[in-house]
Amino acid sequence: MPAQQKRRSVFFVFLLTCITAAQAQKVVTGKVTSAADGKPLSEVTIVVQGSPVGTTTYPDGTYAIKVSGNDAMLVFTYIGFETQAITVGNNSVLNVSLKQQSSNLGDVVVVGFGKQKKATVTGAISSVPVNNLQRIATPSLSNALAGSMPGIITRQSSGEPGYDGAAIFIRGFGTWANRSPLILVDGVERDINNINTQEIESFSILKDASATAVYGVRGANGVILIATKRGVTGRPRVVFRTENATLQAMRLPQYINGPEYAGLINEALVNDNLPARYTDDELRKFRDRSDPYLYPDVDWTDAVLKRNTFQSINNLSVTGGNEIIKYYTNVGYTILNGIYKQDPKNAYKTNAQMKRYNFRSNVDINVSPTISLELGIGGVIQQGNYPGTRAPDIFNALRITSPINYPKINPDGSIAGASTSYLQNNPWGLVTQAGYTRQDRNTLQGTFGGRWDLSSLVTKGLSVRGLFSYDHWYSASTDRIKPYAIKQYLGKDANGNDRYSSPPIREEQPMRYVVNNGANRAYYTEVAVNYNRSFNKHTVTGMILGNRREYIDLTAGSTLSNLPYRRQGLAGRITYNYDNRYLAEVNAGYNGSENFPEGKQFGFFPSVSAGWVLTREKFWNFDAVSHLKIRGSFGQVGNDQIGGRRYLFLTTINRQGQSYFFGDNQRFYQGFEEAQIGNDDVTWEVATKSNIGFDLELLSGIVNLQVDAFKEQRDGILIQRGVIPRVTGYYPWTLPYANLGKAKNTGIDAMLEVKHTTRKGFYYSFRGTITYAKSICTQNDDPIPKYPYQSFVGLPIDQPMGLIALGFFKDQADIERSPKQNFMDQVKPGDIKYQDYNNDGVVDDYDRVPIGYPRTPQMVYGAGASVAYKGVELSVFFTGAARASLFVDGPSMYAFQMGLGTYNILREYYDNRWTPQRQDAKYPRVSPYQNPNNNRTSTMFLQNAAYLRLKSAEVAYTFKVAALKKIGLDNTRIFINGYNLVTWDKIKVIDPESDYGTGGYPLQRSINFGAQLSF
């Protein structure tokens, strides 16, 4: 064939190929709407199945996508709606109506080391919609959890910036050692309060043995699983959210004023038939403040604390991707200011403040159709500023400094004080003149993982995956503490000059410079083989996993503490379901810790569970019940966070023990002693758990009910021996530890949820939860008490003991006919009268009995509702607690606790104290001395700590501005919400979540304004 003819043939073939390709390629357009109301759906993900081509719908629901031919299949996915897959065919215009999901049974639930369909889960697992958590504007995630899901109990006792995290317990606690749950973020053990709520994709808790057995020695206290957001297929989506709140301190301490305090001193003296200290003229000076330095009247709360402060939380995220690579990135900035007043003369800040910068980036890459990789990077930079005095010391100074001890400052501007040691803690001086502390905490988190689908190489459903993480934490605290001068004002001399104590109580000293550093790092490695395959109506899944974690304290103070903390082991799971009707699951963990003796470092923790979906049975014909599943589980899990010292199996010697003098010259000899008596059998706690529950769905998913009842037996709780008598020669600090403690924990938790969208687009929802857990000590090593009712065995863990107050002695005749009270020589009318519980004719410590409930509530509940229509949203959420007690006692409630005129006095005591004219008082009379009869733990100062709190409320409006579409702004959501808005309780004086005493740094109420812009 001539060359020219060949060239023509090649050109003709090329042209024909191009024409054919052009004919095969085409653009499909259309609109996606809601089947319920016909409204356009924005950001619907559309992908060409089996290819990287994808797009998302515009705000008006329209889309355009290029396909390779008529056989192409488009997959439409949108959160809350059923996924649709449609073959293009000859269509160039494809309009699609998506139906709302009538049931959430197809949802995927995060479980230990994997995921399962909600319909086939047999373990006790709870989750919460993330948007519920995001309505609560708090920098600490733990503060948003109370009442949000069944099984979780929290208590927040402080509102101090950077230290305001709540204590978290899952189903109460089965031990009096470490009770904290295992918290995993993206599968790695991390701090829950370092997570920004805007970064969270899902939040779940694992409660029973079936759900936690794979975690072995870390599963006994429950597990919290947090998954951060990942990229989705579609155009880049940018979301900016800013929220700014004004904060109000809740229940600041209210103390009496100077004239009242001076009058109370006189009253105390008169009660004991002693002459008054202050004359009427002196009392007048306290009232009219005519001599404010010798007769001061200082409201210390107002002097050092502000009522209001400020908070700002800001986040910017970008997400998007295609079938090959997906990405999610978020940066956040949070600032929370404290309530301390500042001295404008200072060149530095002394108010508490927390600044935090968050960064998170998650990238998913499909290297091939069978291999995928994921990379996650997180960073937290937190900066704190605080007064040179710790918060507990500041609030203690408020409790013990009376309004008449001295003025805030002296006439010459110096800090006032007195020679008595506790009176050298002038609250104003502690807050503003004692220097400052700067704290920096930096956290770096890196996670790398991969998955290889071996279905085409080995067998269908087989895959392997791996995970590696590296976390590094660094903390630096710079303390610039300044001992300020303290002078006591003594009045004026004959010439009218001010007189001060000489020498001063304390001379001013230079500002000190002390740096404290801390650092640690942790490696985590995980390799797993997974199998998931269906054979007709049979589905079998399996998992075998090996992992290892190594943690090192890089700045440890001793060689022993610097040794790596290691934990490693194996985990396995096998599940089977027939026709999604009969479900069975076996989980097990075999792992251990280097903290235990060689040969006894590993343990095996198995569990079994089963479920029966009755609505899948042929005999079921009750259409209103769309899903009913009964499930149960039984198994064992462990807790290696047992407390005590490290390596308790080692015996150590203290070379600086008790010293002795021997010989005629009484020569000094340094003694040796046992510092720790080793226990070769020390081991972990073992929790044997059983659970039975059911999941009920009514009206095709409109109503959902989940109920679980549980029982736990905890064995092997580590305790220091208590029955070894002193005559054996052991020092109290050398007594050995042993796994002798036992406890049981029983309870119930439940969740009811109702949600529906009407045909006209009106959405409403209700969600209520309740958790009840009672933990009982069944065995300890305490000496057998003289009276059985004083044994803690059989009582709730943390059960308080005290005297039962019957009221007050009315008169001397009442005192004489009552049993003798041995706490002081002579009681008087107005003193507390206690019950002689053992009827021996004497009231003493043998009459102390269990009173009230433990401090941590045994019951927590929550209820919330939301409505939405045409862009307007309204939501409220209540949380509460019951079966909890709080002692409001100690300084400022024990009047003149250290003697006449000592310590401050709360108005709660002053307004409700006993006087001859007020026989029906709440609190005893005031005494001119330390009153050991009244100032002791009893029901007199015991308060019911049950409460109901309007935790949050929000009003929001989402709208679109057509003129702003040109710059890519899809929609704008503006909102106003509140946090800790109203609390109903019986205490009133301090917050019902406070620790024993009279409160510390108060919790905050917030009114939060914000906006969210989506591009």
Side-chain angles (χ1 to χ4, degrees):
M1 181 182 293
Q4 185 176 5
Q5 187 176 356
K6 287 183 178 181
R7 285 195 297 270
R8 288 176 181 173
S9 299
V10 171
F11 176 75
F12 177 77
V13 172
F14 173 74
L15 182 62
L16 183 62
T17 302
C18 290
I19 293 173
T20 303
Q23 289 177 342
Q25 291 278 342
K26 67 177 182 180
V27 175
V28 177
T29 61
K31 187 174 184 178
V32 182
T33 57
S34 169
D37 53 18
K39 290 185 177 180
L41 298 177
S42 174
E43 297 296 330
V44 176
T45 300
I46 308 167
V47 297
V48 179
Q49 192 175 58
S51 81
V53 179
T55 187
T56 57
T57 57
Y58 291 96
D60 60 358
T62 61
Y63 72 94
I65 189 170
K66 184 179 292 186
V67 299
S68 58
N70 294 340
D71 294 334
M73 180 175 287
L74 297 182
V75 180
F76 298 79
T77 57
Y78 193 58
I79 296 175
F81 289 76
E82 295 179 358
T83 298
Q84 282 197 41
I86 302 175
T87 302
V88 172
N90 295 323
N91 300 305
S92 59
V93 177
L94 211 58
N95 294 322
V96 178
S97 294
L98 296 182
K99 296 180 180 179
Q100 263 192 318
Q101 288 180 343
S102 59
S103 171
N104 58 6
L105 296 177
D107 292 350
V108 173
V109 176
V110 179
V111 298
F113 301 118
K115 297 179 180 179
Q116 292 180 6
K117 286 186 177 182
K118 184 176 181 180
T120 62
V121 169
T122 55
I125 301 175
S126 298
S127 61
V128 59
V130 176
N131 60 339
N132 287 9
L133 303 179
Q134 293 173 347
R135 294 191 185 109
I136 298 178
T138 172
S140 297
L141 175 60
S142 59
N143 295 334
L145 301 180
S148 62
M149 67 192 87
I152 199 162
I153 293 176
T154 70
R155 185 171 71 87
Q156 181 189 1
S157 58
S158 173
E160 184 181 11
Y163 296 94
D164 59 346
I168 305 174
F169 311 101
I170 294 179
R171 289 182 165 177
F173 36 80
T175 178
W176 51 86
N178 187 299
R179 309 163 180 179
S180 300
L182 174 64
I183 299 171
L184 301 176
V185 180
D186 292 333
V188 181
E189 191 171 344
R190 286 165 178 162
D191 186 355
I192 190 173
N193 290 316
N194 276 342
I195 300 298
N196 192 320
T197 55
Q198 298 301 315
E199 300 173 354
I200 299 175
E201 181 71 31
S202 66
F203 189 105
S204 305
I205 59 173
L206 313 182
K207 300 179 290 188
D208 68 341
S210 172
T212 62
V214 289
Y215 297 103
V217 292
R218 291 303 311 277
N221 294 338
V223 181
I224 295 177
L225 300 180
I226 302 173
T228 59
K229 293 179 179 177
R230 311 201 73 83
V232 295
T233 302
R235 300 189 313 275
R237 179 178 175 84
V238 180
V239 177
F240 172 68
R241 180 184 174 104
T242 180
E243 40 195 319
N244 300 277
T246 176
L247 307 182
Q248 181 183 25
M250 299 168 59
R251 300 191 180 180
L252 291 173
Q254 297 183 22
Y255 300 104
I256 62 176
N257 59 37
E260 292 170 327
Y261 193 92
L264 195 64
I265 291 178
N266 284 352
E267 180 183 316
L269 292 167
V270 171
N271 283 343
D272 275 36
N273 301 316
L274 299 172
R277 172 181 292 184
Y278 295 105
T279 66
D280 290 342
D281 183 59
E282 290 175 316
L283 292 175
R284 177 189 58 79
K285 290 181 180 180
F286 283 118
R287 284 193 299 270
D288 62 23
R289 302 183 181 181
S290 56
D291 191 351
Y293 294 106
L294 280 182
Y295 298 90
D297 176 16
V298 183
D299 182 346
W300 289 110
T301 299
D302 182 69
V304 302
L305 301 179
K306 300 187 295 183
R307 301 283 174 177
N308 299 291
T309 186
F310 176 77
Q311 169 186 284
S312 180
I313 302 175
N314 306 273
N315 284 277
L316 176 65
S317 67
V318 182
T319 184
N322 52 41
E323 286 298 300
I324 295 178
I325 184 169
K326 301 173 187 177
Y327 56 88
Y328 168 81
T329 301
N330 185 83
V331 291
Y333 170 68
T334 300
I335 181 171
L336 173 60
N337 290 314
I339 60 172
Y340 299 125
K341 291 184 177 180
Q342 300 188 92
D343 186 348
K345 298 177 183 178
N346 288 337
Y348 47 83
K349 295 181 179 179
T350 57
N351 188 19
Q353 184 184 75
M354 186 275 291
K355 292 181 180 180
R356 188 171 68 202
Y357 306 85
N358 287 76
F359 170 78
R360 185 165 302 278
S361 177
N362 290 328
V363 179
D364 299 291
I365 304 171
N366 291 326
V367 179
S368 72
T370 59
I371 298 177
S372 61
L373 302 176
E374 60 181 46
L375 175 64
I377 298 176
V380 182
I381 300 173
Q382 183 168 311
Q383 300 171 345
N385 189 89
Y386 301 93
T389 309
R390 297 169 57 249
D393 296 330
I394 292 172
F395 283 87
N396 186 59
L398 293 176
R399 284 189 285 268
I400 66 177
T401 309
S402 84
I404 67 172
N405 280 141
Y406 41 70
K408 184 173 78 171
I409 56 174
N410 292 315
D412 64 354
S414 62
I415 301 300
S419 57
T420 306
S421 59
Y422 78 88
L423 291 179
Q424 296 176 19
N425 294 322
N426 181 312
W428 171 255
L430 295 180
V431 170
T432 66
Q433 309 300 313
Y436 64 93
T437 294
R438 295 271 170 82
Q439 297 178 1
D440 290 272
R441 303 177 199 166
N442 300 330
T443 302
L444 174 66
Q445 302 169 347
T447 306
F448 177 75
R451 182 179 182 274
W452 186 9
D453 187 349
L454 299 175
S455 296
S456 58
L457 292 178
V458 182
T459 186
K460 185 178 179 180
L462 185 67
S463 65
V464 296
R465 67 174 183 86
L467 178 69
F468 173 79
S469 73
Y470 173 81
D471 287 27
H472 186 277
W473 178 83
Y474 174 77
S475 172
S477 175
T478 303
D479 299 333
R480 302 303 308 272
I481 308 302
K482 181 177 175 57
Y484 51 85
I486 302 175
K487 298 183 351 184
Q488 184 175 8
Y489 181 68
L490 302 177
K492 295 183 180 295
D493 60 18
N495 299 321
N497 298 318
D498 293 326
R499 294 187 303 116
Y500 295 94
S501 56
S502 181
I505 296 172
R506 185 172 69 196
E507 296 282 0
E508 182 178 2
Q509 300 176 30
M511 181 176 284
R512 299 169 183 171
Y513 177 76
V514 178
V515 176
N516 296 292
N517 296 315
N520 62 62
R521 61 101 172 134
Y523 296 116
Y524 177 74
T525 306
E526 173 183 302
V527 178
V529 178
N530 291 279
Y531 181 72
N532 188 334
R533 191 168 181 179
S534 296
F535 306 89
N536 297 322
K537 293 184 178 182
H538 306 270
T539 300
V540 178
T541 73
M543 179 200 73
I544 183 70
L545 177 144
N547 60 5
R548 176 171 179 167
R549 184 176 189 265
E550 178 179 288
Y551 167 90
I552 294 181
D553 184 350
L554 300 174
T555 54
S558 67
T559 303
L560 198 67
S561 299
N562 185 245
L563 292 175
Y565 294 76
R566 290 197 180 107
R567 188 180 299 110
Q568 65 184 25
L570 300 173
R573 174 187 297 119
I574 299 175
T575 73
Y576 168 78
N577 89 68
Y578 172 74
D579 193 28
N580 289 333
R581 188 190 318 171
Y582 307 118
L583 315 171
E585 184 170 329
V586 176
N587 289 273
Y590 177 76
N591 52 17
S593 165
E594 42 67 45
N595 199 37
F596 301 113
E598 186 175 354
K600 302 177 182 178
Q601 296 173 318
F602 287 83
F604 181 64
F605 305 93
S607 74
V608 295
S609 61
W612 179 23
V613 183
L614 281 76
T615 45
R616 297 283 295 180
E617 294 289 354
K618 293 180 180 180
F619 62 75
W620 191 268
N621 58 5
F622 191 34
D623 294 338
V625 178
S626 46
H627 179 77
L628 174 59
K629 177 174 61 179
I630 300 174
R631 48 186 170 75
S633 68
F634 178 81
Q636 289 187 328
V637 279
N639 176 28
D640 65 353
Q641 305 295 292
I642 56 177
R645 308 181 187 97
R646 196 175 183 193
Y647 300 126
L648 287 171
F649 56 89
L650 297 178
T651 296
T652 59
I653 301 299
N654 178 15
R655 296 176 179 271
Q656 301 294 320
Q658 302 292 313
S659 57
Y660 304 90
F661 293 87
F662 289 107
D664 294 337
N665 298 325
Q666 289 293 285
R667 183 179 175 183
F668 174 82
Y669 289 89
Q670 181 66 59
F672 288 9
E673 65 186 28
E674 291 176 307
Q676 174 177 291
I677 300 175
N679 177 359
D680 291 336
D681 295 319
V682 66
T683 186
W684 47 79
E685 299 173 0
V686 176
T688 303
K689 298 187 177 186
S690 56
N691 186 95
I692 186 169
F694 68 86
D695 301 323
L696 174 66
E697 183 182 278
L698 303 176
L699 305 175
S700 298
I702 294 178
V703 180
N704 287 276
L705 175 64
Q706 180 187 80
V707 179
D708 284 274
F710 58 88
K711 181 179 180 181
E712 173 188 348
Q713 175 64 45
R714 187 76 66 102
D715 298 309
I717 300 173
L718 187 74
I719 51 179
Q720 195 168 24
R721 297 305 305 267
V723 297
I724 299 177
R726 292 288 183 88
V727 295
T728 58
Y730 291 103
Y731 294 117
W733 55 88
T734 64
L735 292 175
Y737 287 82
N739 299 96
L740 297 177
K742 294 183 179 181
K744 68 177 181 180
N745 182 28
T746 56
I748 187 171
D749 55 52
M751 183 273 293
L752 173 65
E753 186 175 50
V754 180
K755 58 181 180 180
H756 183 57
T757 302
T758 67
R759 290 181 178 274
K760 294 185 178 181
F762 179 76
Y763 171 82
Y764 62 90
S765 71
F766 169 82
R767 180 183 173 95
T769 70
I770 187 169
T771 301
Y772 169 70
K774 185 176 182 179
S775 305
I776 302 293
C777 169
T778 58
Q779 178 176 302
N780 59 23
D781 198 47
D782 293 345
I784 299 175
K786 181 178 180 180
Y787 296 97
Y789 56 78
Q790 291 192 321
S791 171
F792 285 96
V793 174
L795 297 179
I797 295 176
D798 295 343
Q799 171 66 52
M801 288 267 190
L803 297 168
I804 298 176
L806 301 176
F808 308 103
F809 290 111
K810 298 177 182 179
D811 48 35
Q812 188 61 35
D814 187 15
I815 295 174
E816 291 175 355
R817 64 173 174 263
S818 299
K820 177 177 174 54
Q821 300 192 171
N822 279 352
F823 306 117
M824 59 189 299
D825 293 336
Q826 183 179 3
V827 293
K828 296 189 175 183
D831 284 331
I832 302 174
K833 179 165 64 173
Y834 298 111
Q835 179 180 352
D836 179 15
Y837 191 83
N838 57 10
N839 295 314
D840 64 353
V842 176
V843 176
D844 52 21
D845 282 336
Y846 288 118
D847 295 298
R848 297 175 71 250
V849 296
I851 55 176
Y853 294 102
R855 182 64 202 94
T856 301
Q858 294 179 347
M859 180 182 293
V860 170
Y861 54 90
S866 299
V867 293
Y869 184 66
K870 293 185 177 181
V872 179
E873 305 167 49
L874 172 65
S875 65
V876 294
F877 179 66
F878 294 85
T879 185
R883 299 177 66 87
S885 296
L886 171 64
F887 287 101
V888 183
D889 58 2
S892 72
M893 279 298 289
Y894 292 164
F896 305 144
Q897 182 176 357
M898 299 303 292
L900 187 65
T902 61
Y903 293 4
N904 213 341
I905 303 294
L906 274 175
R907 180 159 297 282
E908 166 70 8
Y909 170 82
Y910 181 84
D911 289 345
N912 298 283
R913 73 192 185 281
W914 184 95
T915 65
Q917 298 76 32
R918 190 191 295 125
Q919 297 283 331
D920 59 345
K922 289 173 60 178
Y923 305 111
R925 72 182 179 99
V926 62
S927 303
Y929 38 73
Q930 207 286 96
N931 190 317
N933 181 81
N934 298 339
N935 300 344
R936 63 183 49 252
T937 302
S938 73
T939 56
M940 180 65 62
F941 299 96
L942 183 67
Q943 301 280 352
N944 182 352
Y947 67 89
L948 172 65
R949 198 192 305 274
L950 177 54
K951 191 72 171 181
S952 68
E954 181 178 83
V955 177
Y957 178 56
T958 302
F959 60 93
K960 300 178 181 180
V961 181
L964 297 179
K965 289 183 180 180
K966 296 179 180 179
I967 63 172
L969 181 61
D970 182 4
N971 62 67
T972 301
R973 183 177 186 269
I974 57 175
F975 56 89
I976 175 173
N977 57 41
Y979 169 59
N980 284 344
L981 291 172
V982 185
T983 302
W984 295 271
D985 67 311
K986 296 183 179 180
I987 298 178
K988 311 299 181 184
V989 189
I990 60 176
D991 191 86
E993 294 190 75
S994 300
D995 293 329
Y996 288 156
T998 55
Y1001 197 107
L1003 273 61
Q1004 307 293 307
R1005 176 186 297 112
S1006 75
I1007 303 297
N1008 187 57
F1009 300 86
Q1012 180 170 303
L1013 284 67
S1014 301
F1015 295 88

